[in-house]
Amino acid sequence: SISDCLTESHKDAIFAICNEEHGVSPFILNGPPGTGKTLTIVEAIKAILRMDESNRVLICTPANFGADRVAEELMKHFGNVLN
């Protein structure tokens, strides 16, 4: 399962985002390639939407590839209902 892939650091980040532990948005997630940023972002978005389906999320990335990866992963979960 996805949660098996999450480290404690990833889980802490998701919890902090969902509970606004460091204040309200924006939240910045930074790190080198392959450290689980996309997984963490996708899981945080899923958790935010589970809390309230009317929540809205804006994702910004320094390159189109990053945005594409997040969108692809979200579409695996939500299908084409994203707007």
Side-chain angles (χ1 to χ4, degrees), residues 13-68:
I14 293 166
F15 183 84
I17 291 167
C18 292
N19 293 290
E20 297 181 339
E21 280 193 346
H22 303 288
V24 295
S25 57
F27 298 99
I28 299 171
L29 194 59
N30 188 26
T35 56
K37 293 179 300 297
T38 300
L39 177 64
T40 302
I41 290 168
V42 168
E43 291 302 313
I45 292 169
K46 287 166 45 178
I48 288 167
L49 294 176
R50 276 193 302 270
M51 291 186 315
D52 183 349
E53 288 183 9
S54 69
N55 282 332
R56 297 289 181 247
V57 178
L58 173 66
I59 303 162
C60 301
T61 64
N64 289 341
F65 176 77
D68 291 346

Side-chain angles (χ1 to χ4, degrees), residues 46 70-83:
K46 287 166 45 178
V70 172
E72 289 168 3
E73 292 301 316
L74 287 171
M75 287 182 69
K76 287 179 186 176
H77 181 75
F78 294 107
N80 279 336
V81 298
L82 298 175
N83 58 28

